[in-house]
Amino acid sequence: MPETTRLQGVLAPVVTPFRADLSPDPERFIAHCRWLLSQHAGLAVFGTNSEANSQSVSERMELLDALVAAGLDPARMMPGTGCCALTDTVRLTTHAVQLGCAGVLMLPPFYYKDVTDEGLYCTFSDIIQRVGDARLRIYLYHIPPVAVVGISLPLIERLLKAYPGTIAGIKDSSGNWSNTKAMLEAFATSGFDIFVGSESFLLANMRHGGTGCISATANVNPATIHALYAAWQDAAADVQQTKLNIVRDIFGKKYLMIAALKQAIAHFGDDPTWAMVRPPLLPLTAEQAAAFIMELQQIGFTMPGLKRACVPAVA
């Protein structure tokens, strides 16, 4: 069977638009994904910033079906499929593989804490065997600040040894460069692709053999992040990294990241519906939104082409 295309570069954990009744909005979702692809970003749909764990299995499957039916290339998709229930993970993963997605981003089961590496190994092993498809490429998702349950280096080593063609890489959202560096030193030369979870670490990741980033702010700043990825060896790379960090800080230091991302899309796309989040999250208040947009305007931040590309023909 032909080798599945390996993902690299910049991917966005695509934010999910909701209608007033809190149902997912496929038309806006497809339109935003088209814009992201036009800006050189891949689609890590159903990640943390997608509010994936506030969506049902059927909702995620229907949105992924809608993307593929709309003609978007599944070879540029890495949908999140990791759930607390093993059978939900198997169902989502099988669905993504059958649609031709290049890989899946897989959280460990995260409800029970203090689980052992043995328990996690058994989980991933069982999923791989139940899916039973040579096309499967798993990108492990290490995000201990949110999930608490993490992915250790010994667990990665054991999984790679048992499933070398299937365990493709990892997204490290630990926020700890020392952890990422340890992964790079241990596994980057063995065909294990390491993505950082923030573009703040993108340059360091590339300089140490990493593959790219899967970052929340790739939803709103994809082309500029991709520019650093494409030119990380240039003399101006450090300056580019500093500029990216300024944008990242505006989105993430004062405000709930998901609400801020959606507020930016609502503003620059002139589409207020985009500000909707699903409870228990809340949108920015009017005062927060005004202050946030002012901060973006002060640094000259824009989202070129968004208004034309992201507002669907049928609202």
Side-chain angles (χ1 to χ4, degrees):
M1 185 171 294
E3 173 68 15
T4 303
T5 303
R6 295 290 282 242
L7 291 161
Q8 58 184 348
V10 178
L11 286 83
V14 184
V15 285
T16 305
F18 296 107
R19 303 185 182 100
D21 66 357
L22 300 180
S23 63
D25 188 326
E27 291 79 17
R28 283 181 169 85
F29 188 62
I30 293 165
H32 188 56
C33 287
R34 285 194 194 281
W35 179 76
L36 290 169
L37 290 171
S38 77
Q39 303 293 304
H40 310 291
L43 307 177
V45 293
F46 318 130
T48 300
N49 288 278
S50 313
E51 299 172 79
N53 286 296
S54 294
Q55 297 178 54
S56 68
V57 168
S58 61
E59 285 174 329
R60 293 199 228 180
M61 292 173 68
E62 288 165 9
L63 284 174
L64 193 58
D65 283 337
L67 285 181
V68 175
L72 279 71
D73 186 1
R76 298 190 65 186
M77 298 180 194
M78 186 196 292
T81 63
C83 302
C84 286
L86 185 146
T87 47
D88 286 346
T89 301
V90 171
R91 186 178 174 203
L92 286 170
T93 302
T94 300
H95 179 249
V97 172
Q98 290 176 346
L99 286 177
C101 294
V104 298
L105 184 62
M106 194 174 291
L107 281 167
F110 52 85
Y111 180 78
Y112 296 108
K113 314 309 179 191
D114 299 320
V115 294
T116 64
D117 276 4
E118 177 66 23
L120 293 176
Y121 176 83
C122 289
T123 297
F124 289 117
S125 178
D126 196 70
I127 291 164
I128 291 166
Q129 293 176 52
R130 288 182 187 226
V131 173
D133 196 314
R135 296 171 294 176
L136 174 60
R137 299 291 178 268
I138 293 175
Y139 295 82
L140 304 168
Y141 190 4
H142 179 63
I143 183 168
V146 177
V148 180
V149 176
I151 309 291
S152 72
L153 269 66
L155 176 59
I156 296 170
E157 183 176 17
R158 186 177 175 190
L159 286 167
L160 275 173
K161 190 172 183 179
Y163 303 103
T166 300
I167 302 298
I170 195 165
K171 177 186 178 183
D172 183 11
S173 290
S174 64
N176 179 352
W177 171 246
S178 295
N179 186 74
T180 307
K181 191 167 182 285
M183 289 181 177
L184 289 160
E185 290 171 350
F187 307 117
T189 59
S190 61
F192 184 73
D193 296 333
I194 298 170
F195 293 87
V196 284
S198 166
E199 73 274 21
S200 299
F201 299 107
L202 177 57
L203 183 55
N205 193 43
M206 298 309 298
R207 284 174 172 169
H208 288 80
T211 306
C213 70
I214 305 172
S215 174
T217 35
N219 274 286
V220 293
N221 200 26
T224 309
I225 300 172
H226 177 266
L228 176 58
Y229 164 76
W232 67 269
Q233 293 175 299
D234 289 1
D238 287 288
V239 174
Q240 287 178 273
Q241 181 68 77
T242 298
K243 290 179 179 178
L244 290 180
N245 294 348
I246 291 169
V247 175
R248 176 85 186 192
D249 287 349
I250 291 175
F251 277 87
K253 284 202 168 178
K254 293 182 183 178
Y255 310 102
L256 175 70
M257 178 70 83
I258 296 168
L261 294 171
K262 287 188 161 183
Q263 187 64 53
I265 297 169
H267 175 79
F268 290 102
D270 193 22
D271 184 5
T273 299
W274 259 105
M276 180 75 65
V277 294
R278 229 182 213 186
L281 303 184
L282 295 172
L284 300 186
T285 66
E287 293 77 12
Q288 287 175 325
F292 168 62
I293 296 300
M294 183 176 295
E295 287 185 66
L296 292 178
Q297 291 171 338
Q298 287 172 347
I299 64 167
F301 180 83
T302 60
M303 295 179 66
L306 182 76
K307 186 173 180 179
R308 180 180 65 255
C310 277
V311 176
V314 180

